[in-house]
Amino acid sequence: MRTSPTILHLDMDAFYASVEQASKPSLRGKAVVVGGLGPRGVVATASYEARVFGVHSAMPMGQARRLAPNAAYLVPRFPLYRSISERVMELLRALSPLVEPLSLDEAFVDLEAGGVAWDERSARLAGVKLRADIRAVTGLTGSVGLAASKMLAKIASEEAKPDGLVVIEPGTERAMLGPMPVRILPGVGPATGDHLRRAGITTVGEIVEAGEDELVRLLGKAHGHGLYAMALARDDRPVVAEREAKSVSVEDTYDVDIHDRTRVGLEVQRLAERCVRRLRGAGLSGRTIVLKVRRYDFSTLTRSETLRGPTDDPAVVREAAARLLDSVDTTGGVRLLGVGVSGLADYTQEDLFAQAAGERAVEEGPVEEQPVSPVEEQPSLAERRWPAGHDVRHAEFGHGWVQGSGLGRVTVRFETPDSEPGRVRTFRIDDPDLEAADPLPLVLAEERGPAAEVEHQAVSSVPASLPKSWSGSGGGAATSRP
């Protein structure tokens, strides 16, 4: 295990919601919830203003609306989030060749491997400059944790939120971890946490006191040994630059169960097209086609078919998905459909169309061919045509975003990232002067430039009752954090 806090964990603050607030002046400082807005939707991200009301990620959207009825509820704009994420990842790759992305808004960085940090002071300077660069390039904030291991760096970034930096100095890890709840450790979810609580173990220090043998008795050999090691702050996992994708998939959950078999078939074809676009966008192909169907009673079925070689041909994937659907009874209704491709490769094998139509790895017996024409994605509802939060442009009023739509009307607020909060106007959903638009950049090109040089910030003294390893900075002045 290394002896300097040169592993960095970056976690962008309330990323999706922060992007929406940065692009919409009228929402800054307001409660914002991003996610699926249908009856079965869930919260993807909630702004810190919304979290005050108890709204959090993965919460059913209906519950979020009850907790925060006056919040702004927006449909995600994933292409925009991905483009901003890539700018952040470019900043990280400039620090080190060892960058391990965990999601669009989170990553580990081995600063020592990049030669930019070798001790506590140099690591802190790299973290401070990174946060300044992120703000300059994206207009957003991120929280940074620095430690000698991945586990501790992630814990540090959680303590740094929002918009801060926390360093855990080697040699003080166990004192810091001891009073923390067991749920702070990776792999301790609600079930394991409850199991430990029933055994009288609620803190990390109590895990150590219980001993390794007791942990193994309670949780099993693998989990017990691993959890005990983490409680002792032992984590030798390296930062891995490339995390190989195992599959590419897409799925949709429907507000109302689909009963019509023809409609189900068309949805599967549409999902197959989307899946192939994502596959090709990643420069991949795959051998195994997977269909996922969640029925009206919440039972979930999966069917798969393996080809002779990898493909990224939409016709092959559509045909395979259609045949797999033939083996599923959808009579009672369908609430979710998904299409995926696994067995990924970075090459394709030609002439697989006949194979897809004739050779199946699933033993379902012969199936009659049913060619289906490519399906264009065309929204059929006003809410799909004008998703809340998405960008529009009006011939007279310029750029704006959808506040909501229904009853044949769409309400638009006209503002841009660098404007004052704008005015609201309502139009017919078929107004010829109104059209969908691309998002505007959060930071103007002339404002980006290299981030200003950030001087070393002194750390305020830490009260004797707190571990000295907890030193952080956020929002400008450096502070100490428990």
Side-chain angles (χ1 to χ4, degrees):
M1 187 167 174
R2 67 183 68 201
T3 58
S4 299
T6 53
I7 290 183
L8 179 149
H9 181 260
L10 169 71
D11 198 348
M12 299 295 289
D13 299 321
F15 183 49
Y16 300 167
S18 294
V19 171
E20 299 301 341
Q21 289 177 318
S23 66
K24 301 171 172 63
S26 59
L27 297 185
R28 293 169 191 168
K30 307 288 181 63
V32 174
V33 181
V34 180
L37 303 190
R40 295 171 183 162
V42 296
V43 175
T45 306
S47 69
Y48 287 98
E49 295 86 355
R51 296 180 192 187
V52 171
F53 299 98
V55 180
H56 58 77
S57 300
M59 172 182 285
M61 191 60 75
Q63 182 180 356
R65 289 185 183 276
R66 290 191 293 273
L67 292 171
N70 296 321
Y73 289 86
L74 308 176
V75 176
R77 296 187 291 167
F78 287 113
L80 175 60
Y81 307 152
R82 279 192 288 269
S83 68
I84 295 172
S85 171
E86 185 52 40
R87 287 181 180 170
V88 173
M89 296 301 165
E90 287 173 0
L91 293 174
L92 299 184
R93 294 186 190 104
L95 292 175
S96 171
L98 293 183
V99 176
E100 183 178 340
L102 303 179
S103 62
L104 291 179
D105 61 342
E106 186 180 3
F108 288 110
V109 184
D110 188 332
L111 298 176
E112 189 173 335
V116 297
W118 48 91
D119 58 11
E120 186 273 338
R121 182 178 181 278
S122 57
R124 181 185 300 279
L125 284 173
V128 170
K129 184 175 186 303
L130 172 65
R131 292 179 58 239
D133 288 347
I134 289 172
R135 186 185 290 273
V137 170
T138 70
L140 305 176
T141 64
S143 295
V144 166
L146 289 158
S149 70
K150 290 167 71 172
M151 178 187 77
L152 294 169
K154 184 170 174 60
I155 290 173
S157 71
E158 284 296 319
E159 292 296 318
K161 282 187 167 293
D163 191 20
L165 182 151
V166 164
V167 178
I168 302 177
E169 298 175 5
T172 60
E173 299 94 343
R174 287 185 59 179
M176 176 272 298
L177 282 174
M180 289 189 159
V182 294
R183 288 290 301 276
I184 199 72
L185 297 178
V188 181
T192 301
D194 288 343
H195 196 52
L196 292 172
R197 180 180 53 78
R198 288 193 294 269
I201 300 173
T202 59
T203 68
V204 176
E206 289 169 347
I207 290 178
V208 177
E209 292 174 8
E212 190 169 13
D213 291 342
E214 178 66 7
L215 264 292
V216 170
R217 187 186 70 80
L218 288 171
L219 304 175
K221 189 173 182 180
H223 199 182
H225 286 311
L227 191 59
Y228 186 72
M230 287 189 291
L232 294 174
R234 296 173 184 164
D235 178 20
D236 296 326
R237 294 173 300 158
V239 176
V240 181
E242 296 295 333
R243 296 167 60 90
E244 184 178 354
K246 296 182 178 179
S247 65
V248 173
S249 63
V250 296
E251 62 181 43
D252 276 345
T253 300
Y254 303 99
D255 295 343
V256 179
D257 291 348
I258 303 175
H259 292 83
D260 181 70
R261 182 72 177 189
T262 301
R263 166 81 188 284
V264 172
L266 290 174
E267 289 293 320
V268 168
Q269 299 303 290
R270 184 177 61 83
L271 289 166
E273 293 278 350
R274 279 174 52 193
C275 184
V276 169
R277 286 200 295 271
R278 183 172 294 181
L279 194 70
R280 287 181 167 181
L284 297 170
S285 60
R287 293 187 63 210
T288 301
I289 315 304
V290 181
L291 175 71
K292 178 180 177 181
V293 179
R294 181 166 297 149
R295 299 189 292 190
Y296 68 98
D297 59 357
F298 287 91
S299 61
T300 302
L301 305 175
T302 58
R303 297 287 186 268
S304 64
E305 173 176 329
T306 300
L307 310 175
R308 285 198 305 260
T311 183
D312 64 354
D313 187 332
V316 174
V317 178
R318 285 199 311 269
E319 286 295 308
R323 284 193 310 279
L324 292 170
L325 179 61
D326 287 341
S327 67
V328 178
D329 180 11
T330 61
T331 305
V334 170
R335 60 192 298 119
L336 177 146
L337 290 168
V339 174
V341 178
S342 61
L344 301 181
D346 57 2
Y347 67 97
T348 62
Q349 182 168 315
E350 301 297 332
D351 197 23
L352 288 172
F353 188 87
Q355 166 195 295
E359 289 192 19
R360 308 180 59 189
V362 287
E363 299 298 330
E364 302 285 352
V367 178
E368 200 173 312
E369 282 191 44
Q370 296 181 349
V372 180
S373 300
V375 179
E376 295 184 3
E377 293 188 51
Q378 293 183 345
S380 57
L381 302 175
E383 287 74 15
R384 287 187 176 178
R385 185 181 178 187
W386 305 115
H390 282 223
D391 298 84
V392 295
R393 175 168 293 280
H394 191 274
E396 179 181 353
F397 303 108
H399 191 93
W401 57 277
V402 176
Q403 281 200 326
S405 63
L407 301 177
R409 301 282 176 179
V410 56
T411 301
V412 177
R413 184 180 289 274
F414 290 97
E415 59 186 5
T416 64
D418 58 341
S419 74
E420 296 295 321
R423 297 187 59 183
V424 174
R425 297 181 183 273
T426 299
F427 308 91
R428 299 192 321 272
I429 60 170
D430 58 352
D431 190 317
D433 290 336
L434 190 66
E435 61 182 3
D438 292 330
L440 297 176
L442 302 186
V443 179
L444 296 177
E446 59 268 22
E447 294 178 359
R448 288 178 195 152
E453 193 66 33
V454 181
E455 295 184 358
H456 177 64
Q457 299 181 7
V459 181
S460 61
S461 59
V462 181
S465 59
L466 298 177
K468 293 182 179 180
S469 58
W470 286 107
S471 54
S473 61
T479 60
S480 299
R481 300 183 66 89

